[in-house]
Amino acid sequence: MLCVLFITHHFLINPWHPIAMTLAQQGTAANADLLVGDIYGGDYSEFQLPADLVAASLGKLCRPNARKKVSKADLARAVLDMITNNVGSLARLLAKQHSVTHVVFVGSFLNSNQLSIARLAYAMDFWSGGKLQALFLKHEGYFGTFGALAWTAANSACAPAEPRQ
């Protein structure tokens, strides 16, 4: 995690800034990610792993020659893909735990962010084997705030205090 924070801060300044998202749209994650094909020279058929599957996010940064070829745009895309894949994986685990088949993603980060929406939808499909569907709301920022408020009201010590006697 420290490595990701350093990379996003050092190369991108603020990973959620519009400039970083523009960079991510222009980048290719495969230039920074270590793929199955980079390790095995192609598909790893024994475990049914395609050559283009990510084996290690940002894994090529450990290789000095490959590091020289990675652009800021590639880093932005690789970090975005890594984060959305992890969010999708966690969302799948929670959906499975609660026996739901549709996962609704909310939050202002998704506002006009088609790349992240596409990556989250892909992650949900990949991690669930096509069994879960990612849903995105039109007013995602509002619903994200409302959800946080509703959860806080139900689960925190912010409940009204008892009157003092």
Side-chain angles (χ1 to χ4, degrees):
M1 185 61 177
L2 184 59
C3 178
V4 173
L5 293 175
F6 170 77
I7 289 167
T8 55
H9 176 71
H10 182 71
F11 292 103
L12 306 175
I13 300 167
N14 179 349
W16 309 132
H17 192 273
I19 293 171
M21 294 311 300
T22 300
L23 278 173
Q25 290 172 344
Q26 300 166 356
T28 303
N31 292 340
D33 292 341
L34 189 63
L35 307 178
V36 169
D38 297 325
I39 299 169
Y40 298 105
D43 294 346
Y44 189 41
S45 55
E46 184 178 343
F47 290 102
Q48 299 169 348
L49 301 174
D52 62 348
L53 185 69
V54 175
S57 295
L58 304 172
K60 287 183 182 167
L61 298 182
C62 296
R63 297 178 172 180
N65 291 338
R67 190 180 317 139
K68 294 174 186 175
K69 300 174 188 174
V70 178
S71 69
K72 288 181 181 180
D74 296 335
L75 284 174
R77 181 58 179 263
V79 168
L80 178 71
D81 285 1
M82 178 180 60
I83 291 169
T84 54
N85 274 324
N86 279 292
V87 169
S89 174
L90 292 171
R92 183 199 68 86
L93 289 171
L94 286 169
K96 184 176 181 179
Q97 181 180 13
H98 295 283
S99 302
V100 299
T101 58
H102 295 79
V103 177
V104 180
F105 289 94
V106 297
S108 58
F109 170 70
L110 297 172
N111 186 19
S112 301
N113 189 344
Q114 294 303 313
L115 179 57
S116 293
I117 289 171
R119 296 305 305 162
L120 281 170
Y122 169 80
M124 288 298 297
D125 184 62
F126 177 84
W127 290 111
S128 72
K131 294 179 182 173
L132 294 177
Q133 184 177 7
L135 302 174
F136 303 91
L137 303 176
K138 184 175 182 178
H139 299 288
E140 66 289 316
Y142 168 78
F143 287 107
T145 303
F146 183 76
L149 177 64
W151 185 89
T152 300
N155 296 295
S156 77
C158 294
E162 294 292 326
R164 292 187 178 178
Q165 303 276 340

